[in-house]
Amino acid sequence: MDEDKPDPMPFSLEIERLEASGLLRHIELHEMLPSTNDLAIVRAADATLKTPALFVALEQTAGRGRGDNAWWSSDGALMFSLLLEPHRVGIPADRLPCVSLAVAVAICDTIEGLTPEMTGGVKWPNDVYLGDRKLAGVLIECPNTSGQTPPRLVIGIGINVNNSLATAPAEVRSVGVSLCEVIGRELDGTDLLLNLLQALRSRLVQLARDDPQLAEAWRERSILSGRHVEILDGSRKITGEVVEIAEDGALVVQTPDGPTRCYAGILTLAE
Ligand code: BTN
């Protein structure tokens, strides 16, 4: 190794190509942040900020997952938050609970475009798997902008791309996977992000139009069908075998009392 040359960055992004894509009206690229979702939530209150706005960090010091979970944010992962105004895309309020599934499908589209052998799996409501290992997570949040702006939505996405799980904490290493480990080479971050932004746009437009192809896509990629699960939704606990993810985004679970539809909750596999 040439000692004068710095190690290549595991992940770099070309802001000019993101700007030239025409997909975004505001872009912030940060070397390090606590959390891109936290920043997007703060920025959402600024009525002059144009959306879609993208907040990317090459490293996060306090990346968040759903509930109380942390998100392991090593460099080499793609970590960003997209701030949107759903009505501009035509998504009515009653379809908002399906955004996380539409995003998960868009991540599957993107990784499936990398190599024909790869098929993404959707773990309701917001995770993307490769085989039995977690590749990506989605954290959707609704910032309260006190009526100063039209309703806005933060879509936070973390994907293990060029980071090796070998350096991850044991609890992440045992369940996670990264794209470079599966494909066997490092990926171009800008290409991946641009492809994902395109896929997100297409899938969110499908959601706005109630296009049945979207529900078909999450139904056929669902990794939970036939699995025994327990879902905790507030004080409600649902236990049973997963039937499918329905067209309205509900997870349909066969319980002793019959089929039950779940729209939210913390899910654990019961086997
Ligand atoms: C999950 O798996 O529970 C969701 C993980 C979401 C992680 C991403 S990384 C970019 C954005 N900023 C955060 O703090 N979280 C999301």
Side-chain angles (χ1 to χ4, degrees), residues 34-38 55 60 62-67 69-71 73 78-81 126-127 134 136-139 141 155-159:
S35 152
T36 57
N37 263 40
D38 289 352
F55 304 91
Q60 293 185 128
R64 294 188 289 110
R66 289 179 76 228
N69 294 335
W71 172 259
S73 304
L78 175 59
M79 297 169 289
F80 68 92
S81 301
N126 70 328
D127 289 339
K134 179 164 167 172
V138 179
L139 178 63
E141 296 183 295
I155 301 175
I157 299 179
I159 310 179

Side-chain angles (χ1 to χ4, degrees), residues 17-224:
R17 287 177 60 207
L18 295 173
E19 283 166 352
S21 73
L23 293 165
L24 303 159
R25 299 208 299 162
H26 178 89
I27 302 173
E28 287 186 30
L29 177 53
H30 296 263
E31 290 281 327
M32 191 179 283
L33 281 178
S35 152
T36 57
N37 263 40
D38 289 352
L39 178 64
I41 287 168
V42 171
R43 292 276 205 273
D46 175 359
T48 67
L49 181 81
K50 292 199 168 87
T51 63
L54 177 74
F55 304 91
V56 193
L58 301 182
E59 280 185 60
Q60 293 185 128
T61 51
R64 294 188 289 110
R66 289 179 76 228
D68 294 332
N69 294 335
W71 172 259
W72 174 64
S73 304
S74 68
D75 62 347
L78 175 59
M79 297 169 289
F80 68 92
S81 301
L82 196 60
L83 179 67
L84 294 177
E85 291 177 358
H87 76 280
R88 288 173 67 101
V89 195
I91 301 173
D94 65 348
R95 300 292 285 160
L96 288 179
C98 294
V99 169
S100 65
L101 286 168
V103 173
V105 170
I107 297 171
C108 292
D109 293 338
T110 308
I111 61 170
E112 288 165 12
L114 292 171
T115 148
E117 298 91 61
M118 204 148 61
T119 307
V122 173
K123 183 171 173 219
W124 181 92
N126 70 328
D127 289 339
V128 174
Y129 273 61
L130 276 181
D132 58 359
R133 287 179 170 258
K134 179 164 167 172
L135 176 78
V138 179
L139 178 63
I140 311 269
E141 296 183 295
C142 295
N144 178 0
T145 60
S146 308
Q148 299 302 302
T149 72
R152 289 178 161 179
L153 198 67
V154 173
I155 301 175
I157 299 179
I159 310 179
N160 295 319
V161 180
N162 290 338
N163 46 337
S164 165
L165 271 285
T167 61
E171 67 278 10
V172 176
R173 198 165 57 233
S174 58
V175 294
V177 68
S178 79
L179 280 175
C180 71
E181 287 171 339
V182 175
I183 297 183
R185 64 178 163 84
E186 291 202 346
L187 294 157
D188 182 289
T190 315
D191 285 346
L192 192 76
L193 179 53
L194 284 171
N195 290 341
L196 178 51
L197 291 169
Q198 292 278 10
L200 279 170
R201 187 162 75 171
S202 305
R203 292 300 187 177
L204 291 176
V205 167
Q206 284 189 333
L207 180 62
R209 292 184 182 152
D210 225 348
D211 185 333
Q213 286 184 53
L214 178 59
E216 190 54 38
W218 68 53
R219 191 176 275 137
E220 67 190 21
R221 289 180 180 81
S222 172
I223 61 167
L224 292 176

